[in-house]
Amino acid sequence: MSRPQVLVIAAALGLAFSQTVLAAPAPAAALAGNPLAAASTLPFHYPAFDQIKDEHFQPAFVEGMRIQLKEIAAIADNKKPATFENTIVAMEKSGELLTRVQTTFGNLQGANTNDKLDAIDSEMSPKLAAHGDAIYLNAKLYARVKSLYDKRDQLKLDAESKHLLERYHTDFVRAGAKLSNADKEKLKTLNGAIATLQTTFTQNVLKETNASALVVDTREELAGMTDAAIDAAAAAAKAKGMDGKFLVAIVNTSGQPPLAVLTNRAVRERLMAASLTRGSHGGEFDSREVVLKIAKARAEKATLLGYANFAAYSLEDQTAHDTAAVNKLLGELAKPAVTNAKKEAADLQAVVDADKGGFQIDASDWAFYTDKVRAQRFAFDENQLKPYFELNNVLTNGVFYAAGKLYGLSFKERKDLPVYNPDVRVFDVFDANGKQLAIFLADMYARSNKQGGAWMNEYSSQSSLLGTHSVVANHLNIPKPPAGEPTLLTYDEVKTAFHEFGHALHGMFSNVKYPRFSGTSVPRDFVEYPSQVNEMWAVWPEVLSNYAKHYKTGAPMPKELLDKVIASKKFNQGFLTTEYLSASLLDQRWHQLTPSQIPTDVLGFEAQSLKDMGVDFAPVPPRYRTTYFSHSFSGGYSAGYYAYLWSEKLDADTVEWFKEKGGLKRENGDWFRAKLLSRGGTDDAMNLFRNFRGRDPIIEPLLERRGLTGK
Ligand SMILES: [Zn+2]
């Protein structure tokens, strides 16, 4: 199961800023010659990556904020009484320049950063936080929103507009609009501090991950890795001036892919240690202090806003609603998950003992012996699959093919639009009626200047109010093979490609009026649901037979091989569920503290928390430890890492629906699109689900899938 990094959801400030030039004040002369100053003239306002230079961002940010504050002041100071049009719609139309700068910058900084962009990020984060506060804490503006909200039933608004008014009211209240002036000032200080700290944390994690790559002296020590992977490690070392050595890169999770194949136990242990100690062994990128400061500042913010803790504040706006509901779900699943993991550990230990290994299984051994058990029990090696999962085939004959069958989409690659990296591919996406729906960017390869994990984001979001369309990107971190070699994916990478494309569909199918509700602008514990559903098509027989072909011979993947993989994936569910739950529980523990409860010892608190929650099983460390837990401390999924499991309940139930209805059929895809994927955030998320499914979700399909039914 893939755990993408951070899905960038609509506009970072909560307000959705417009994408087209409206009656906005003109940018100042400071932006003369700056390609960000006006909407791109490329199709669908696709960014002019070849024109945009690093130095264009800072002045465009400054100007974008200045213009939007002018627009907001005009709305707040309007002498005419508040109307939906002159207040709410006017805000939806504000900030055109800032949105363009922010989405372009945010996407590039995540996917293709450098020291200059990092420095701009550090400078702008607190300024953008202050900018958001200047809008949401504007008393005159809030008074107008509230006056409309109080008479919302008399305004004769259509359903989407009424929901928008309610959404704005909630956004203002949650941002502190009801606070006293003194408390508003305190909140502004906290928001600025949090923004700066989160930026520091994010940059530390990437730098520390790069710095933690394992240096190995001899080729022999990497036994088990393919020749191509060892050659890549040699090339990576050479590029860092360590000619003759080998550099094994680290990925963002605790687990590291080479652990499954490295036969040298000492090297496995070194690699695992390099991963697990990230951010907590001293040095320039140590994140312990910054974690404590973030936790404290968030707790103080929650207190100021009248909540027991930051998780309570955060969850109130999610479909889960409160900490009790989340603690209940995670708590109930923790015990059976750990029980399963311990059973799996016993199976692994049996292999070690049979080999007269003479040691106890620990975290660095898990993946290696799991593959051995798989090989014994299911008689296959996962590497046998890779020749059938060639990247281009997976994308065009798998991911795109499924979208064609389900939704009638077609794709045409174009090479005329500029890209920020030569590996990025660009596709026009057409609806069944031949009309262009969106532009899709596929940025699939790992780079040292790219955040870890996988994610989707948009350079432009659909809105009929603004006349804009979706320009959507998927980012993965597939290791790039040496020149001339094919890119062969693992089964998990294939599923990730389908997963991220599920987010892309959610963006592309958006058919809403207001930008605030576009595409993936839904609660965080709902947003992973459509993407997880899309994973089902990766192994759907008709899709699979269309793309899983041997890259050399074109021979179809033997069905029994795939059946073995799928059966074998159930073997490691105890591990996967436990490592995920441990991280989710840690995320909750850190965010269910009051300011006075913030500890001083990060690792001590982490260890005690895992123990208290019954998930302290050393062979299965949390999927992310605190000091490199970007979901939790960079901002995107703070107190929200549980969202993947929460969404998976809806996902598993929806997969059953597709199966009941005959699977890969246009009428099924069209129903899912009409009732859910096209609706963005225009209605309560659970209403959307009920409209689609015809009832509330049930949990049984999820328990069944994860082997937690006790059967
Ligand atoms: Zn996702």
Side-chain angles (χ1 to χ4, degrees), residues 283-355:
E284 199 184 344
F285 310 125
D286 193 303
S287 283
R288 285 175 290 184
E289 273 307 308
V290 73
V291 159
L292 295 176
K293 285 179 182 165
I294 291 171
K296 180 127 194 272
R298 286 180 181 162
E300 285 172 348
K301 173 174 172 166
T303 305
L304 197 57
L305 289 166
Y307 294 85
N309 52 57
F310 186 79
Y313 165 70
S314 176
L315 293 172
E316 185 194 60
D317 204 32
Q318 302 294 317
T319 68
H321 288 303
D322 53 49
T323 52
V326 172
N327 292 345
K328 180 168 180 287
L329 177 76
L330 299 180
E332 282 175 358
L333 298 184
K335 199 177 166 204
V338 174
T339 302
N340 285 358
K342 287 185 173 165
K343 274 189 218 153
E344 290 165 6
D347 287 341
L348 305 185
Q349 190 64 49
V351 178
V352 173
D353 295 346
D355 290 351

Side-chain angles (χ1 to χ4, degrees), residues 2-5 7 454-456 499-500 503 527-528 531-532 637 644:
S2 60
R3 304 247 175 259
Q5 175 82 347
L7 175 76
W455 70 96
M456 160 275 201
H499 175 102
E500 295 307 329
H503 287 307
V527 80
E528 294 302 329
S531 53
Q532 290 178 347
Y637 281 70
Y644 291 92

Side-chain angles (χ1 to χ4, degrees), residues 359-381:
F359 58 85
Q360 287 294 307
I361 280 283
D362 75 18
S364 62
D365 302 314
W366 193 284
F368 186 77
Y369 284 94
T370 292
D371 273 16
K372 280 205 159 196
V373 169
R374 280 200 184 121
Q376 285 178 1
R377 196 171 297 179
F378 304 97
F380 90 105
D381 165 9

Side-chain angles (χ1 to χ4, degrees), residues 632-650:
S632 194
F633 293 100
S634 288
Y637 281 70
S638 41
Y641 192 61
Y642 76 97
Y644 291 92
L645 194 71
W646 198 270
S647 292
E648 196 179 336
K649 178 173 153 186
L650 308 182

